[in-house]
Amino acid sequence: MHNVVMNSKTLYDLVWASRPLMQAAEACVERGLVDTALTVRMRAVLEMLLAHGELAVPDIAEKLEIKRQYVQLMVNETLASGFTTQRPNPRHKRSSLLALTDQGRALIEGIMQKEMDVMKDIAADFKDEDVSTALRVVQAVMTKLKAKAEEQPW
């Protein structure tokens, strides 16, 4: 049996380490965007479109787990910069589909390749099974915390 008190404290520390982890990751992403005309939030839109193909704003918002209105601002920036284009959505008259332009696709593919190079460098310091375990734990904790957030207040 696990030591629940020690385990819960370590898990608590893991959860709270996520903020500085994300800040460090965002700083690396920002550094990689220098001279690209992309912001971190524009990059997020391009990444979603690269991974999932054409999407409407509500779909992007759902995948990023942020408000649709904020995603609309992000999308407007990608459209104005020529990295994305809109086309009619056959499923919804008022919610156009967004797609990468050739310029947007080339840009996000290049950026993500550079980011993967950084990850390969960092990954060299860890065992594959340790990284897999960490990912499994983080995903499980995230799922459980989301479920707890939906419950009645404690």
Side-chain angles (χ1 to χ4, degrees):
M1 177 147 163
H2 301 290
N3 180 338
V4 176
V5 173
M6 178 182 258
N7 198 12
S8 62
K9 172 63 171 114
T10 304
L11 188 58
Y12 185 84
D13 291 345
L14 171 72
V15 169
W16 287 105
S18 66
R19 181 180 303 263
L21 171 64
M22 285 309 301
Q23 289 171 334
E26 188 170 325
C28 284
V29 168
E30 283 176 341
R31 185 177 174 103
L33 296 178
V34 172
D35 298 326
T36 66
L38 272 185
T39 63
V40 171
R41 65 189 199 176
M42 290 168 70
R43 182 214 166 279
V45 171
L46 300 189
E47 180 181 17
M48 287 295 106
L49 295 174
L50 183 65
H52 302 286
E54 294 180 338
L55 294 170
V57 168
D59 300 324
I60 296 170
E62 181 181 342
K63 291 182 183 314
L64 292 175
E65 298 184 26
I66 56 179
K67 294 193 182 300
R68 185 198 61 76
Q69 294 84 351
Y70 185 64
V71 172
Q72 186 63 61
L73 295 173
M74 297 160 61
V75 163
N76 291 347
E77 292 173 350
T78 66
L79 288 165
S81 298
F83 300 134
T84 60
T85 187
Q86 287 180 309
R87 72 170 189 84
N89 184 347
R91 294 181 299 137
H92 196 285
K93 287 184 179 183
R94 296 185 61 195
S95 185
S96 300
L97 290 174
L98 195 69
L100 291 170
T101 62
D102 290 341
Q103 178 188 13
R105 179 175 303 282
L107 182 60
I108 192 63
E109 286 175 345
I111 288 166
M112 291 181 71
Q113 182 57 57
K114 289 177 185 175
E115 292 171 356
M116 286 305 297
D117 292 343
V118 171
M119 289 296 107
K120 286 177 188 172
D121 184 47
I122 294 170
D125 294 336
F126 301 100
K127 295 179 190 169
D128 289 348
E129 56 269 16
D130 290 343
V131 174
S132 294
T133 299
L135 179 60
R136 261 193 326 277
V137 169
V138 167
Q139 288 172 331
V141 170
M142 182 174 55
T143 298
K144 290 176 185 255
L145 286 173
K146 285 180 180 181
K148 289 281 186 193
E150 296 296 320
E151 293 176 4
Q152 294 295 320
W154 318 327

